[in-house]
């Protein structure tokens, strides 16, 4: 009988994180109101983490799972989940056995938050493809 290696433990831990991510993705909000509420909750959790990490307050830090899920929702809803750097952060946060310093993650979480906000702004400025665009008035219109 062989003793599992560190690599085997890491792979099992990451598999648990990937399963968690898949379960979250399957809970995608069904309407705009639910999506908006989920976004605001996720953004509040990430902001609370940033404030707590900046002030080095352990008491105010959200849990790894809360932060990981919130980061996931910010990226999932803005369709930038495939960014490897941000996705890796989410996997690390949702890997239960991986040792992390929550304070050391601050620059990465800030960067993820900014990317999500930039993507959201771009989504707002771009008209959705499923909504018809109103015809523009021109000088040849009779009415």
């Amino acid at each position: 009988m062989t003793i599992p290696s560190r690599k085997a433990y890491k792979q099992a831990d990451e598999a648990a994180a990937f399963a968690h991510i898949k379960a979250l993705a399957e809970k995608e909000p069904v309407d705009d109101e639910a999506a908006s509420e989920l976004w605001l909750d996720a953004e509040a959790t990430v902001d609370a983490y940033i404030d707590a990490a900046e002030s080095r307050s352990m008491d105010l830090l959200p849990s790894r799972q809360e932060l990981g899920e919130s980061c996931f929702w910010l990226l999932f809803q803005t369709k930038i989940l495939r960014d490897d750097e941000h996705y890796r952060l989410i996997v690390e946060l949702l890997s239960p056995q991986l040792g992390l310093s929550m304070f050391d993650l601050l620059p990465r979480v800030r960067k993820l938050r900014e990317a999500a906000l930039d993507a959201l702004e771009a989504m707002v400025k771009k008209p959705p493809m499923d909504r018809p665009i109103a015809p523009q008035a021109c000088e040849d219109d009779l009415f």
Side-chain angles (χ1 to χ4, degrees), residues 31-50:
D31 62 20
D32 289 343
E33 186 176 328
S36 178
E37 186 175 314
L38 189 59
W39 172 273
L40 293 173
D41 290 345
E43 187 177 27
T45 299
V46 170
D47 289 344
Y49 162 78
I50 291 171

Side-chain angles (χ1 to χ4, degrees), residues 1 3 15 20 33 62 75 96 103 105 110 121:
M1 185 165 139
I3 299 173
H20 193 130
E33 186 176 328
L75 296 183
F103 295 117
L105 298 175
R110 271 193 193 127
E121 185 177 331

Side-chain angles (χ1 to χ4, degrees), residues 65-114:
Q65 182 172 337
E66 288 174 316
L67 182 59
E69 289 178 0
S70 295
C71 289
F72 168 82
W73 287 119
L74 292 181
L75 296 183
F76 185 79
Q77 290 192 4
T78 54
K79 313 286 190 261
I80 59 170
L81 189 60
R82 294 183 185 238
D83 184 307
D84 288 342
E85 179 183 4
H86 301 314
Y87 190 77
R88 186 80 222 142
L89 173 61
I90 293 168
V91 170
E92 289 173 16
L93 286 166
L94 296 177
S95 295
Q97 303 300 320
L98 184 63
L100 292 176
S101 166
M102 291 295 283
F103 295 117
D104 291 344
L105 298 175
L106 181 59
R108 294 172 66 194
V109 173
R110 271 193 193 127
K111 191 173 181 181
L112 180 146
R113 180 183 180 279
E114 290 305 314

